[in-house]
Amino acid sequence: MAREFDLISRYFHDIGPDRGTVRVDIGDDAAVIDVADTTDLAMTMDVLIAGVHFPQHTTPARIAHKALAVNLSDLAAMGATPAWFTLGLSLPDADEQWVGAFARSLAVVAGQYGIRLVGGDMTRGPLSVCINACGTLPSGGAVQRNGAKPGDRVLVSGSIGGAALGLDSYLGKIDLGEDEQQAVRDRLDRPEPRCALGCGLQGLATAAIDVSDGLGQDLTHLLTASGVGASIELARLPLHPAYRSRLPTLGYEPAIGFGDDYELLITAPTGALDGLFALAGQCEVTLTDIGVIESQPLLRLLDDSGTRWNGSTAGHDHFRDRS
Ligand code: ADP
Ligand code: MG
């Protein structure tokens, strides 16, 4: 079966006239359109299906949080300020209690990040949520995936690996204390999109992407788009505390291959690092330097002894992972 990205580039990459307004086309975290003299519009969409993106019986509050947060994370990765979204909802039945709880949670996240629901569509069918989110940018100010340069440092916000443990916990594959269990399930269901950090990246970062499909895969997208490689020191990864304490049994693979942490991966020249760390401090989010961009187009993951780590960096692919 064809891979997700092969299908997109084979069939969808050139449909309709360009209209001279598309600054960033298919292939980044969001499209960017030149809509006015001083303003660009960033647009992104994510579909979440019950039983695929969240377990069937996830609470409506958690589904709403995740559905909006993953879109906000793509806006953050472009440096866009959240503005408006539309909501496509497919529901098996008109359960008002379910819809009420979903809407209340959606309102909390939308209020927190300053994004307005302005339309959508509702239909009867298997449970799924589709959100199309838009944000604004100063003209030409998008932070794309393709600007990383040799010598740039690679940084990651927040922590990695918590969401992987969250799924393991739901699947009963890992034994955790009550607090840790809650924390990692929250990492999976209630991501905290790094919007404030994203909005400050213009002029500091050379490239950015959010970690949705796995750090290895998402970093590879950024490297490919930029035509460069990188060396990453695994020992520097800001692993979630619950993950860090189990590193000897877990190894690095879930942290590299599983996604859903919705942190930002950022590249920046060394001269911009002070500014970036100051920005992260203002946004109350940690930022960790995990490696360096190199000209040879290859992702090298180095283990604690500095030798090449041979684990899988595959990450998530909807079509491959079905087969
Ligand atoms: P992300 O993980 O950042 O949300 P994806 O991996 O889902 O991005 O998608 C990669 C790129 O392909 C994005 O630019 C997205 O807009 C585009 N894309 C995904 N599905 C389609 C589709 N069916 N038609 C056109 N573009 C698509
Ligand atoms: Mg993304």
Side-chain angles (χ1 to χ4, degrees), residues 7 37 40 47 76 80 89 93 100 113 159 186 198 228 265-266 274 318:
L7 287 177
D37 283 351
D40 287 348
V47 183
L89 205 49
D93 47 61
Y113 290 91
S159 72
D186 279 353
V228 294
L265 262 174
I266 297 162
D274 285 350
H318 288 290

Side-chain angles (χ1 to χ4, degrees), residues 230-264:
S231 282
I232 300 298
E233 293 172 55
L234 294 173
R236 288 173 169 247
L237 286 183
L239 296 174
H240 188 279
Y243 195 116
R244 171 72 62 198
S245 61
R246 289 168 182 79
L247 180 59
T249 26
L250 292 167
Y252 285 111
E253 201 157 306
I256 298 294
F258 192 84
D260 279 47
D261 288 308
Y262 294 97
E263 296 295 349
L264 292 183

Side-chain angles (χ1 to χ4, degrees), residues 102-117:
F102 181 91
R104 281 191 295 279
S105 167
L106 198 63
V108 170
V109 182
Q112 189 182 344
Y113 290 91
I115 189 164
R116 173 84 181 173
L117 177 62

Side-chain angles (χ1 to χ4, degrees), residues 149-237:
K149 302 274 183 308
D152 283 356
R153 300 303 305 181
V154 181
L155 303 116
V156 64
S157 66
S159 72
I160 292 293
L165 287 197
L167 183 63
D168 280 354
S169 149
Y170 278 123
L171 296 176
K173 286 188 184 170
I174 193 163
D175 234 356
L176 297 166
E178 209 172 298
D179 288 354
E180 276 187 328
Q181 172 169 301
Q182 195 55 51
V184 296
R185 289 183 177 189
D186 279 353
R187 287 293 293 163
L188 182 69
D189 295 338
R190 296 162 50 80
E192 294 176 52
R194 302 304 184 186
C195 291
L197 180 65
C199 287
L201 291 182
Q202 195 198 343
L204 293 172
T206 47
I209 187 170
D210 68 326
V211 182
S212 57
D213 293 336
L215 189 137
Q217 182 176 129
D218 292 317
L219 180 55
T220 300
H221 289 320
L222 184 151
L223 299 177
T224 306
S226 299
V228 294
S231 282
I232 300 298
E233 293 172 55
L234 294 173
R236 288 173 169 247
L237 286 183

Side-chain angles (χ1 to χ4, degrees), residues 1-8 12 52 316-323:
M1 188 179 278
R3 303 270 307 266
E4 179 181 349
F5 297 108
D6 295 337
L7 287 177
I8 295 166
F12 297 125
V52 179
H316 187 68
D317 179 301
H318 288 290
F319 295 99
R320 183 200 59 218
D321 294 348
R322 276 173 62 94
S323 52

